Amino acid sequence: MSSPGFVGVETEYGITVDGPTAVNPVVASSLVVSAYRAAGSQDVRWDHTDESPLVDAREPRHQPAPEPMIDDELGLANTVLTNGARFYVDHAHPEYATPECTNARDLVLWDRAGERILADAAQRAAASLPPGSRVLIHKNNTDGKGAAYGTHENYLVPRAIPFGKLTYRLVPFFISRLLLTGAGRIGSHLDAGVPFQLSQRADFFEVVLGLETTLKRPLMNTRDEPHADPDRYRRLHVINGDANLCEVATYLKVGTMLLVLAAIEDGAVPEPPELADPVAAFHAVSHDLTGRVALPLLSGGSITPVDLQRWYLEAVAGHLRARGGGDEVERDVLARWRAAVDVAGEDPRLLSGVADWATKLELLEQYRGRHGLAWEHDRLKMLDLQYHDVRVDRGLYHRLAARGRVERLVTDEEVAAAVTAPPADTRAWFRGEVIRRFPAQVVAAGWDAVVLDSGGDRLQRVPMMEPGRGTRADVGALLDQVNDVGELLAALTA
Amino acid sequence: MVSDAGRTQRGQDADTERDEVQDAPARDAAREVVDDVDELLDEIDEVLEENAEEFVRGYVQKGGQ
C-alpha cells in the first residue's frame, strides 16, 4: 500500500512595469511581495535553517550545501502567508509556492489562490509607483525571447524507492503528458518551421538528468531536499511542467503524477517503453499538434504520445482497481484522464477548455481568421501573452472562463477562502493558523518549522518534520484553547 | 490553415443544402455558436493591449529556474 501523497507547486510569475519610470524587475518583484505583506499579511520571515537545495539525489546524502541563501540578506521580500504559502522574490520574479496539499483538487484551489494574491499584490504595488504606472503579472513560463522561468511541482516520495527507478519509470510519462499539461506558445527557437507548440518550456530542456534548474535544464531534476525527515522521504522536484490557467490541466498534471507515483511505489508500473532520445522526443511532442508523432524506441519501432499516455493510464487504472478504486478525487482524476486521452486520440485540439494550449490555440485560430493575420503578427503574440494575464477583467483566460468556454473544478468563493485559509489536512494548517492567530509572536516560518517568540530569553523553534502532522484534526482544539505562543509552547510540550 | 469558425460555417452550409427543413434547430444552434464566437472576438478586440507591437517587443523577462 503506497504512502499518502503530498504535493506543492511553486510558480515564478512574469512581471512587467509599464509607466513613466523604468523599474528593474528585481525591485518590481520585491515591491509586489512587500505591498501584499504590508497591506494585509504579516511580516513573517522565511526560515532557511533546514534548506539545502544543492544536495543531489545521486550523491551520498548530508553533503554540505556550499551556496548560502542570500535573498534575505539582500533585503528581498520573502514571507509566509496565513494560507500556509510562501510568497517571495526569486530570480527577478515574484514567486508563490502553494502550501502542502494532499490531493489534486486542493492543489488547484491553492494554486488559483496564488493567482488572486499576485493580482491583488500587483495592484497595490502600482499604487506606490508614479501615477500612470501599471504592474502586470503573467502566469507564464517564457517571454518568447529566450528567457524561461519555472513552475515546479514537488512530490514527497518514500526514500525507499531508488531514484534511478523513479527516473526510468517517469521520463516517458513527462514527455507524453505535454498533450494535457502544455500551456502553449507561438513559435519555437529550436525550429523556425513551428508556428505553435504545446509547451511553453519544452524548448529549454537539454538533458535527461541533472541538478541544475536555470541552465542545461534536465527532464528529471535531482535536487534532493525533502523539507521532511530525510531518512524517510525524498522530494521529487519536477521542473519540466508549464504554469496552467485551466483548472483541469493543473488537476490532471498533479493528479496523474500522484497516481503514477503511488503505482510506482507499489511496484504496479512495469518497465515503460524506452525512448531512444528522450530530449528529442520531448521537443517532438511539443512541436506536434496531432498527438500522433512517432517517437523512436530504443528497441526499434516507435510509439505516439497518445499511446504512451494510454500505457500509463492502464497501469494506473489496474493499480487503482487493486487498491479498491481509490478515493473520490483519485477516481475523478482517473476518469478525467481517460476522457482526455480518448479525446486526444481523436484530435488533441478538441481539448480546448481543458488543456491550456488547445484553449489558446482555438482562440488564436479564431482571431487570426477574423483579422487575416500571419502567425508572426504582434497582435497574435499579444494574445498569446495576455492569455496568461492574472487580471480577471483583462486576462484572456479569464474572459474565456467568464463565457463558460473553459471547464471549472472549483468556485470563485472557494478560491477566495484559500487566499487566507490553509489546507486543513497537512502541517500547512498549523503554520498558517499560528501566523493568523499570533502574528506578532511568529518570528519566522519555513516548510518544516516555525520560530516563535514567547517573550522569554530565547526564541523557540517548533519543528514540523512530518507533512501529515499539524493538521486541524491534530492541533485545532489545542490552538483554540491557548491565548498566546507561550501557552501554545507549554501545551505542545506538556 | 483554416480557422475553426470557418469550418463550422462550411459544415452548416452543406447541411442547409441537404436538408433544409429538418435541420432548422441544428442551424440555429450553429448560428448561436458563430454569434458567440463573434461576441468573444469583439471582446478580445476590446481588452487586448492597445499598443500590441510596443508591448510585445518590450516584454523581456530575466531567466529564472
Coordinates of all heavy atoms in Angstrom, one line a residue, chain A residues 241-326:
Chain A
G241 N 7.3 21.0 -16.1 CA 5.9 21.4 -16.4 C 5.7 22.9 -16.7 O 6.6 23.7 -16.5
D242 N 4.6 23.2 -17.3 CA 4.2 24.6 -17.5 C 3.3 25.1 -16.4 O 2.6 24.3 -15.7 CB 3.4 24.7 -18.8 CG 4.3 24.6 -20.1 OD1 5.5 24.5 -19.9 OD2 3.7 24.6 -21.2
A243 N 3.2 26.4 -16.3 CA 2.1 27.0 -15.5 C 0.8 26.9 -16.2 O 0.7 27.3 -17.3 CB 2.5 28.5 -15.2
N244 N -0.2 26.4 -15.5 CA -1.5 26.3 -16.1 C -2.5 27.3 -15.6 O -2.5 27.6 -14.4 CB -2.0 24.9 -15.9 CG -1.2 23.8 -16.6 OD1 -0.5 23.0 -16.0 ND2 -1.2 23.8 -17.9
L245 N -3.4 27.7 -16.5 CA -4.6 28.5 -16.1 C -5.8 27.6 -16.0 O -6.6 27.8 -15.1 CB -4.8 29.7 -17.1 CG -4.0 31.0 -17.0 CD1 -4.1 31.6 -15.7 CD2 -2.5 30.8 -17.4
C246 N -5.9 26.7 -16.9 CA -7.1 25.8 -17.0 C -7.0 24.9 -15.7 O -6.0 24.2 -15.5 CB -7.0 24.9 -18.2 SG -7.6 25.7 -19.7
E247 N -8.1 24.9 -15.0 CA -8.1 24.1 -13.7 C -7.9 22.6 -14.0 O -7.2 21.9 -13.2 CB -9.4 24.4 -12.9 CG -9.4 25.8 -12.4 CD -10.8 26.2 -11.8 OE1 -11.7 25.4 -11.8 OE2 -10.9 27.4 -11.3
V248 N -8.6 22.2 -15.1 CA -8.4 20.7 -15.4 C -7.0 20.4 -15.7 O -6.5 19.3 -15.4 CB -9.4 20.3 -16.5 CG1 -9.3 18.8 -16.8 CG2 -10.8 20.6 -16.1
A249 N -6.3 21.3 -16.3 CA -4.9 21.0 -16.7 C -4.0 20.9 -15.4 O -3.2 19.9 -15.3 CB -4.3 22.1 -17.6
T250 N -4.2 21.8 -14.5 CA -3.4 21.7 -13.2 C -3.8 20.4 -12.5 O -3.0 19.7 -11.9 CB -3.8 22.9 -12.3 OG1 -3.4 24.1 -13.0 CG2 -3.0 22.8 -11.0
Y251 N -5.1 20.1 -12.5 CA -5.7 19.0 -11.8 C -5.1 17.7 -12.3 O -4.7 16.8 -11.6 CB -7.2 19.0 -12.0 CG -8.1 18.0 -11.3 CD1 -8.2 18.0 -9.9 CD2 -8.8 17.1 -12.0 CE1 -9.0 17.1 -9.2 CE2 -9.6 16.2 -11.4 CZ -9.7 16.2 -10.0 OH -10.6 15.3 -9.3
L252 N -5.1 17.6 -13.7 CA -4.5 16.4 -14.3 C -3.0 16.3 -14.1 O -2.4 15.2 -13.9 CB -4.9 16.3 -15.8 CG -6.4 16.0 -16.1 CD1 -6.6 16.0 -17.6 CD2 -6.8 14.7 -15.5
K253 N -2.3 17.5 -14.3 CA -0.9 17.5 -14.1 C -0.5 16.9 -12.8 O 0.4 16.0 -12.7 CB -0.4 18.9 -14.2 CG 1.1 19.1 -14.1 CD 1.6 20.5 -14.4 CE 1.1 21.5 -13.3 NZ 1.5 22.9 -13.6
V254 N -1.1 17.3 -11.7 CA -0.7 16.9 -10.4 C -1.4 15.6 -10.0 O -0.8 14.7 -9.4 CB -1.2 18.0 -9.4 CG1 -1.1 17.5 -8.0 CG2 -0.2 19.2 -9.6
G255 N -2.7 15.4 -10.4 CA -3.4 14.2 -10.1 C -2.9 13.0 -10.7 O -2.8 11.9 -10.1
T256 N -2.5 13.1 -12.0 CA -1.9 11.9 -12.7 C -0.5 11.6 -12.1 O -0.2 10.4 -11.9 CB -1.8 12.1 -14.2 OG1 -1.0 13.2 -14.5 CG2 -3.2 12.3 -14.8
M257 N 0.2 12.6 -11.7 CA 1.6 12.3 -11.1 C 1.4 11.6 -9.8 O 2.1 10.6 -9.5 CB 2.3 13.6 -10.9 CG 3.3 14.0 -11.9 SD 4.6 12.9 -12.2 CE 5.6 13.1 -10.7
L258 N 0.4 12.0 -9.0 CA 0.2 11.3 -7.7 C -0.2 9.9 -7.9 O 0.3 9.0 -7.2 CB -0.9 12.1 -6.9 CG -0.4 13.4 -6.3 CD1 -1.6 14.2 -5.7 CD2 0.6 13.2 -5.1
L259 N -1.0 9.6 -8.9 CA -1.4 8.3 -9.2 C -0.3 7.4 -9.7 O -0.1 6.3 -9.3 CB -2.6 8.2 -10.2 CG -3.9 8.8 -9.8 CD1 -4.9 8.7 -10.9 CD2 -4.5 7.9 -8.6
V260 N 0.5 8.0 -10.6 CA 1.7 7.3 -11.2 C 2.7 7.0 -10.1 O 3.2 5.9 -10.0 CB 2.3 8.1 -12.3 CG1 3.6 7.5 -12.7 CG2 1.3 8.1 -13.5
L261 N 3.0 8.0 -9.2 CA 3.9 7.8 -8.1 C 3.5 6.7 -7.2 O 4.3 5.8 -6.7 CB 4.2 9.1 -7.4 CG 5.0 10.1 -8.1 CD1 5.0 11.4 -7.3 CD2 6.4 9.6 -8.3
A262 N 2.2 6.7 -6.8 CA 1.7 5.6 -5.9 C 1.8 4.3 -6.6 O 2.2 3.3 -5.9 CB 0.2 5.9 -5.6
A263 N 1.5 4.2 -7.9 CA 1.6 2.9 -8.6 C 3.1 2.4 -8.7 O 3.4 1.3 -8.5 CB 1.0 3.0 -10.0
I264 N 4.0 3.4 -8.9 CA 5.4 3.0 -8.9 C 5.9 2.5 -7.5 O 6.5 1.5 -7.4 CB 6.3 4.2 -9.3 CG1 6.1 4.6 -10.8 CG2 7.8 3.9 -9.1 CD1 6.8 5.9 -11.2
E265 N 5.4 3.2 -6.5 CA 5.8 2.8 -5.1 C 5.3 1.3 -4.9 O 6.0 0.5 -4.2 CB 5.2 3.7 -4.1 CG 5.6 3.4 -2.7 CD 5.0 4.3 -1.6 OE1 4.4 5.3 -2.0 OE2 5.1 3.9 -0.4
D266 N 4.1 1.0 -5.4 CA 3.6 -0.4 -5.1 C 4.1 -1.4 -6.2 O 3.6 -2.5 -6.2 CB 2.1 -0.3 -5.1 CG 1.6 0.3 -3.8 OD1 2.4 0.5 -2.9 OD2 0.4 0.7 -3.8
G267 N 5.0 -1.0 -7.0 CA 5.5 -1.9 -8.0 C 4.5 -2.2 -9.1 O 4.6 -3.3 -9.8
A268 N 3.5 -1.4 -9.3 CA 2.5 -1.7 -10.3 C 2.7 -1.0 -11.7 O 1.9 -1.1 -12.5 CB 1.1 -1.2 -9.7
V269 N 3.9 -0.3 -11.8 CA 4.2 0.2 -13.1 C 5.4 -0.6 -13.7 O 6.5 -0.6 -13.2 CB 4.6 1.7 -13.0 CG1 5.0 2.2 -14.4 CG2 3.5 2.5 -12.5
P270 N 5.1 -1.4 -14.7 CA 6.2 -2.2 -15.3 C 7.1 -1.3 -16.1 O 7.0 -0.1 -16.1 CB 5.4 -3.2 -16.3 CG 4.1 -2.5 -16.6 CD 3.8 -1.6 -15.4
E271 N 8.2 -1.9 -16.6 CA 9.1 -1.1 -17.4 C 8.5 -0.5 -18.6 O 7.9 -1.2 -19.4 CB 10.3 -2.0 -17.9 CG 11.2 -2.5 -16.7 CD 12.4 -3.2 -17.2 OE1 12.7 -3.2 -18.4 OE2 13.1 -3.9 -16.4
P272 N 8.5 0.9 -18.6 CA 7.8 1.5 -19.7 C 8.6 1.4 -21.1 O 9.8 1.1 -21.0 CB 7.7 3.0 -19.3 CG 8.9 3.1 -18.3 CD 9.1 1.8 -17.7
P273 N 7.9 1.7 -22.2 CA 8.7 1.7 -23.5 C 9.8 2.7 -23.3 O 9.6 3.8 -22.9 CB 7.6 2.2 -24.5 CG 6.3 1.9 -23.8 CD 6.5 2.0 -22.3
E274 N 11.0 2.3 -23.7 CA 12.2 3.2 -23.5 C 12.5 4.0 -24.8 O 12.7 3.4 -25.9 CB 13.4 2.4 -23.1 CG 14.4 3.3 -22.4 CD 15.6 2.5 -21.8 OE1 15.6 1.3 -21.8 OE2 16.5 3.2 -21.4
L275 N 12.4 5.3 -24.7 CA 12.6 6.2 -25.9 C 14.1 6.3 -26.2 O 15.0 6.3 -25.3 CB 12.0 7.6 -25.6 CG 10.5 7.6 -25.3 CD1 10.1 8.9 -24.7 CD2 9.8 7.4 -26.7
A276 N 14.4 6.3 -27.5 CA 15.7 6.3 -28.0 C 16.4 7.6 -27.6 O 17.6 7.6 -27.2 CB 15.8 6.2 -29.5
D277 N 15.7 8.8 -27.7 CA 16.3 10.1 -27.3 C 15.2 10.9 -26.6 O 14.5 11.6 -27.3 CB 16.8 10.8 -28.6 CG 17.5 12.1 -28.4 OD1 17.3 12.6 -27.2 OD2 18.2 12.6 -29.3
P278 N 15.2 10.8 -25.3 CA 14.1 11.5 -24.5 C 14.0 13.0 -24.8 O 12.9 13.5 -24.9 CB 14.5 11.2 -23.1 CG 15.3 9.9 -23.1 CD 16.1 10.0 -24.4
V279 N 15.2 13.7 -24.8 CA 15.1 15.1 -25.0 C 14.5 15.5 -26.4 O 13.7 16.3 -26.5 CB 16.5 15.8 -24.8 CG1 16.5 17.2 -25.1 CG2 17.0 15.5 -23.4
A280 N 15.0 14.8 -27.4 CA 14.5 15.0 -28.8 C 13.0 14.7 -28.8 O 12.2 15.4 -29.4 CB 15.2 14.1 -29.8
A281 N 12.6 13.6 -28.1 CA 11.2 13.3 -28.0 C 10.3 14.3 -27.3 O 9.2 14.6 -27.8 CB 11.0 11.9 -27.3
F282 N 10.9 14.9 -26.3 CA 10.2 16.0 -25.5 C 9.9 17.2 -26.5 O 8.8 17.7 -26.5 CB 11.1 16.4 -24.4 CG 10.4 17.2 -23.3 CD1 9.2 16.8 -22.7 CD2 10.9 18.4 -22.9 CE1 8.6 17.5 -21.7 CE2 10.3 19.2 -21.9 CZ 9.1 18.7 -21.3
H283 N 10.9 17.5 -27.3 CA 10.7 18.6 -28.2 C 9.7 18.2 -29.3 O 8.9 19.0 -29.7 CB 12.1 19.0 -28.9 CG 13.1 19.5 -27.9 ND1 14.4 19.4 -28.1 CD2 12.9 20.1 -26.7 CE1 15.1 19.9 -27.0 NE2 14.2 20.3 -26.2
A284 N 9.8 17.0 -29.8 CA 9.0 16.5 -30.9 C 7.5 16.5 -30.5 O 6.6 16.9 -31.2 CB 9.4 15.1 -31.4
V285 N 7.2 16.1 -29.2 CA 5.9 16.0 -28.7 C 5.3 17.5 -28.7 O 4.2 17.8 -29.1 CB 5.8 15.3 -27.4 CG1 4.4 15.5 -26.8 CG2 6.1 13.9 -27.5
S286 N 6.2 18.4 -28.2 CA 5.7 19.8 -28.0 C 5.4 20.4 -29.4 O 4.5 21.2 -29.5 CB 6.8 20.6 -27.3 OG 6.3 21.9 -27.0
H287 N 6.2 20.0 -30.4 CA 6.1 20.7 -31.7 C 5.0 20.0 -32.6 O 4.8 20.5 -33.7 CB 7.4 20.6 -32.5 CG 8.5 21.4 -31.8 ND1 9.8 21.4 -32.2 CD2 8.5 22.2 -30.7 CE1 10.6 22.2 -31.4 NE2 9.8 22.6 -30.5
D288 N 4.4 19.0 -32.1 CA 3.3 18.3 -32.9 C 2.0 18.5 -32.3 O 1.8 18.4 -31.1 CB 3.7 16.8 -32.9 CG 2.5 15.9 -33.4 OD1 2.2 16.0 -34.6 OD2 1.9 15.2 -32.5
L289 N 1.0 18.9 -33.1 CA -0.4 19.2 -32.6 C -1.3 18.0 -32.8 O -2.5 18.1 -32.5 CB -0.9 20.4 -33.2 CG 0.0 21.7 -33.1 CD1 -0.7 22.9 -33.8 CD2 0.3 22.0 -31.6
T290 N -0.8 16.9 -33.3 CA -1.7 15.8 -33.6 C -1.7 14.6 -32.6 O -2.6 13.8 -32.6 CB -1.3 15.1 -35.0 OG1 0.0 14.4 -34.8 CG2 -1.1 16.2 -36.1
G291 N -0.7 14.6 -31.7 CA -0.6 13.5 -30.7 C -0.2 12.2 -31.4 O -0.1 11.2 -30.7
R292 N 0.2 12.3 -32.7 CA 0.5 11.0 -33.4 C 1.9 11.0 -33.8 O 2.3 10.1 -34.6 CB -0.4 10.9 -34.6 CG -1.9 10.7 -34.3 CD -2.7 10.4 -35.6 NE -4.0 10.1 -35.3 CZ -5.0 10.9 -35.1 NH1 -4.8 12.2 -35.2 NH2 -6.2 10.5 -34.8
V293 N 2.8 11.9 -33.4 CA 4.2 11.9 -33.9 C 4.8 10.6 -33.4 O 4.6 10.2 -32.3 CB 4.9 13.2 -33.3 CG1 4.9 13.2 -31.8 CG2 6.3 13.3 -33.9
A294 N 5.6 10.0 -34.3 CA 6.3 8.7 -34.0 C 7.5 9.0 -33.2 O 8.5 9.7 -33.7 CB 6.6 8.0 -35.3
L295 N 7.6 8.5 -32.0 CA 8.8 8.7 -31.1 C 9.6 7.4 -31.2 O 9.1 6.4 -30.7 CB 8.4 9.0 -29.7 CG 7.4 10.2 -29.5 CD1 6.8 10.2 -28.1 CD2 8.0 11.5 -30.0
P296 N 10.8 7.4 -31.7 CA 11.6 6.2 -31.8 C 11.9 5.6 -30.5 O 12.2 6.3 -29.5 CB 12.9 6.7 -32.5 CG 12.6 8.0 -33.2 CD 11.5 8.6 -32.3
L297 N 11.9 4.3 -30.4 CA 12.2 3.5 -29.2 C 13.6 2.9 -29.3 O 14.0 2.6 -30.4 CB 11.1 2.4 -29.0 CG 9.7 2.8 -28.8 CD1 8.7 1.7 -28.8 CD2 9.6 3.6 -27.4
L298 N 14.1 2.7 -28.2 CA 15.5 2.1 -28.1 C 15.5 0.7 -28.7 O 16.5 0.3 -29.4 CB 15.9 2.1 -26.6 CG 17.4 2.2 -26.3 CD1 18.0 3.4 -26.9 CD2 17.6 2.1 -24.8
S299 N 14.4 0.0 -28.5 CA 14.4 -1.4 -29.0 C 14.0 -1.4 -30.5 O 13.8 -2.5 -31.0 CB 13.3 -2.1 -28.2 OG 12.0 -1.4 -28.4
G300 N 13.9 -0.3 -31.2 CA 13.4 -0.3 -32.5 C 11.9 0.0 -32.5 O 11.2 -0.1 -31.5
G301 N 11.4 0.4 -33.7 CA 9.9 0.8 -33.7 C 9.7 2.2 -33.1 O 10.7 2.9 -32.8
S302 N 8.5 2.5 -32.9 CA 8.2 3.8 -32.3 C 6.8 3.8 -31.6 O 6.1 2.8 -31.6 CB 8.1 4.9 -33.4 OG 7.0 4.5 -34.3
I303 N 6.5 4.9 -30.8 CA 5.3 5.0 -30.1 C 4.8 6.4 -30.2 O 5.7 7.3 -30.3 CB 5.4 4.5 -28.7 CG1 4.1 4.3 -28.0 CG2 6.4 5.4 -27.9 CD1 4.1 3.5 -26.7
T304 N 3.5 6.6 -30.1 CA 3.0 8.0 -30.2 C 2.8 8.5 -28.8 O 2.6 7.7 -27.8 CB 1.6 8.1 -30.9 OG1 0.7 7.4 -30.1 CG2 1.7 7.4 -32.3
P305 N 2.7 9.8 -28.6 CA 2.5 10.4 -27.2 C 1.1 9.9 -26.7 O 1.0 9.7 -25.5 CB 2.6 11.9 -27.4 CG 2.8 12.2 -28.8 CD 3.1 10.9 -29.5
V306 N 0.1 9.8 -27.5 CA -1.2 9.4 -27.1 C -1.1 8.0 -26.5 O -1.6 7.6 -25.4 CB -2.3 9.5 -28.2 CG1 -3.5 8.8 -27.8 CG2 -2.6 10.9 -28.5
D307 N -0.4 7.1 -27.3 CA -0.3 5.7 -26.8 C 0.6 5.6 -25.5 O 0.3 4.7 -24.7 CB 0.3 4.8 -27.9 CG -0.7 4.6 -29.0 OD1 -1.9 4.7 -28.7 OD2 -0.3 4.2 -30.1
L308 N 1.6 6.5 -25.4 CA 2.4 6.5 -24.2 C 1.5 6.8 -23.0 O 1.6 6.2 -21.9 CB 3.5 7.5 -24.3 CG 4.9 6.9 -24.7 CD1 5.9 8.1 -24.7 CD2 5.4 5.9 -23.7
Q309 N 0.7 7.9 -23.1 CA -0.2 8.3 -22.1 C -1.2 7.1 -21.7 O -1.5 6.8 -20.6 CB -1.0 9.5 -22.4 CG -0.3 10.8 -22.2 CD -0.1 11.1 -20.7 OE1 -1.0 11.3 -19.9 NE2 1.2 11.0 -20.3
R310 N -1.7 6.4 -22.8 CA -2.6 5.3 -22.5 C -1.9 4.2 -21.8 O -2.5 3.6 -20.9 CB -3.2 4.8 -23.9 CG -4.5 4.0 -23.7 CD -5.1 3.7 -25.0 NE -5.7 4.9 -25.7 CZ -6.8 5.5 -25.3 NH1 -7.5 5.1 -24.2 NH2 -7.3 6.5 -26.0
W311 N -0.6 4.0 -22.1 CA 0.1 2.9 -21.4 C 0.2 3.2 -19.9 O -0.1 2.3 -19.1 CB 1.6 2.9 -22.0 CG 2.4 1.8 -21.5 CD1 2.6 0.6 -22.1 CD2 3.2 1.7 -20.3 NE1 3.4 -0.2 -21.3 CE2 3.8 0.5 -20.2 CE3 3.4 2.7 -19.3 CZ2 4.6 0.1 -19.2 CZ3 4.3 2.3 -18.2 CH2 4.9 1.0 -18.2
Y312 N 0.5 4.5 -19.5 CA 0.5 4.8 -18.1 C -0.9 4.8 -17.5 O -1.1 4.3 -16.3 CB 1.1 6.2 -17.9 CG 2.6 6.2 -18.0 CD1 3.3 6.5 -19.2 CD2 3.4 5.9 -16.9 CE1 4.6 6.5 -19.3 CE2 4.8 5.8 -17.0 CZ 5.4 6.2 -18.1 OH 6.8 6.1 -18.2
L313 N -1.9 5.2 -18.2 CA -3.3 5.3 -17.8 C -3.7 3.8 -17.4 O -4.3 3.6 -16.3 CB -4.2 5.8 -18.9 CG -5.7 5.8 -18.7 CD1 -6.1 6.7 -17.5 CD2 -6.4 6.2 -20.0
E314 N -3.4 2.9 -18.2 CA -3.9 1.5 -18.0 C -3.1 0.9 -16.8 O -3.7 0.2 -16.0 CB -3.7 0.6 -19.2 CG -4.6 1.0 -20.4 CD -6.0 1.2 -20.1 OE1 -6.5 0.6 -19.1 OE2 -6.7 1.9 -20.8
A315 N -1.8 1.2 -16.6 CA -1.1 0.7 -15.5 C -1.7 1.3 -14.2 O -1.9 0.5 -13.2 CB 0.4 1.1 -15.6
V316 N -2.0 2.6 -14.2 CA -2.6 3.2 -13.0 C -4.0 2.7 -12.7 O -4.4 2.5 -11.6 CB -2.6 4.7 -13.2 CG1 -3.5 5.4 -12.2 CG2 -1.1 5.3 -13.0
A317 N -4.8 2.5 -13.8 CA -6.2 2.0 -13.6 C -6.1 0.7 -13.0 O -6.9 0.4 -12.0 CB -6.9 2.0 -15.0
G318 N -5.2 -0.2 -13.4 CA -5.1 -1.5 -12.8 C -4.7 -1.4 -11.3 O -5.3 -2.1 -10.5
H319 N -3.8 -0.5 -11.0 CA -3.3 -0.4 -9.7 C -4.5 0.2 -8.8 O -4.7 -0.3 -7.6 CB -2.2 0.6 -9.6 CG -1.6 0.9 -8.3 ND1 -1.6 2.2 -7.8 CD2 -1.1 0.1 -7.3 CE1 -1.1 2.1 -6.5 NE2 -0.8 0.9 -6.2
L320 N -5.2 1.1 -9.3 CA -6.3 1.7 -8.5 C -7.4 0.7 -8.2 O -8.0 0.6 -7.1 CB -6.9 2.9 -9.3 CG -7.4 4.1 -8.4 CD1 -6.3 4.6 -7.5 CD2 -7.9 5.2 -9.3
R321 N -7.7 -0.2 -9.2 CA -8.7 -1.3 -9.0 C -8.2 -2.2 -7.9 O -9.0 -2.6 -7.0 CB -8.8 -2.1 -10.3 CG -10.0 -1.6 -11.2 CD -10.3 -2.7 -12.3 NE -9.2 -3.1 -13.1 CZ -8.7 -2.4 -14.2 NH1 -9.3 -1.3 -14.6 NH2 -7.7 -2.9 -14.9
A322 N -6.9 -2.5 -8.0 CA -6.3 -3.4 -7.0 C -6.4 -2.8 -5.6 O -6.5 -3.5 -4.6 CB -4.9 -3.8 -7.3
R323 N -6.4 -1.5 -5.5 CA -6.5 -0.8 -4.2 C -7.9 -0.5 -3.8 O -8.2 0.3 -2.9 CB -5.8 0.6 -4.3 CG -4.2 0.5 -4.2 CD -3.6 1.8 -4.6 NE -4.1 2.9 -3.8 CZ -4.1 4.2 -4.2 NH1 -3.6 4.5 -5.4 NH2 -4.6 5.2 -3.5
G324 N -8.9 -1.1 -4.5 CA -10.3 -0.9 -4.2 C -10.9 0.4 -4.8 O -11.9 0.8 -4.3
G325 N -10.2 0.9 -5.8 CA -10.8 2.1 -6.5 C -10.3 3.4 -6.1 O -10.5 4.4 -6.8
G326 N -9.6 3.5 -5.0 CA -9.0 4.8 -4.6 C -10.1 5.7 -4.0 O -11.2 5.3 -3.9

